[in-house]
Amino acid sequence: MDFEFHTQKELYDRVKPALHAKLQELKRLNYNGIQELDIWRYLIEIKWKSSKNLMLSDIVSDIIHVDNHKLSTYIKSKNKEEV
């Protein structure tokens, strides 16, 4: 089955269950203060920065297997930039 997404929002909405599952894992591991959108932005800005034509399965896999420590470090650095 092929999926085609015309906007980033459509894709985000499609993978939201994977983002939610990852967020629940992070909460169980006491990574607090992280939101689904933080995971999404990390992957866009870091993991997928130079990627093209990603498959939906690869995107979901990247969400589920994102490195928790690297994600946390990224979010902390972004929060410092905003202050």
Side-chain angles (χ1 to χ4, degrees), residues 12 14-29 34-36 39 60 62-66 68 71:
Y12 178 85
R14 180 71 175 157
V15 299
K16 199 161 171 69
L19 290 164
H20 181 75
K22 183 62 178 184
L23 184 60
Q24 295 310 308
E25 173 193 331
L26 291 165
K27 286 181 179 178
R28 278 193 311 275
L29 297 172
I34 297 175
Q35 299 177 7
E36 291 172 358
I39 302 166
V60 170
D62 287 345
I63 291 168
I64 298 301
H65 296 105
V66 68
N68 297 341
L71 173 64

Side-chain angles (χ1 to χ4, degrees), residues 33-58:
I34 297 175
Q35 299 177 7
E36 291 172 358
L37 194 54
D38 295 325
I39 302 166
W40 181 249
R41 286 183 180 145
Y42 169 79
L43 290 167
I44 288 173
E45 293 178 18
I46 305 298
K47 177 83 173 164
W48 303 326
K49 187 174 184 176
S50 59
S51 298
K52 301 228 186 274
N53 299 322
L54 289 168
M55 305 252 327
L56 184 59
S57 59
D58 295 328

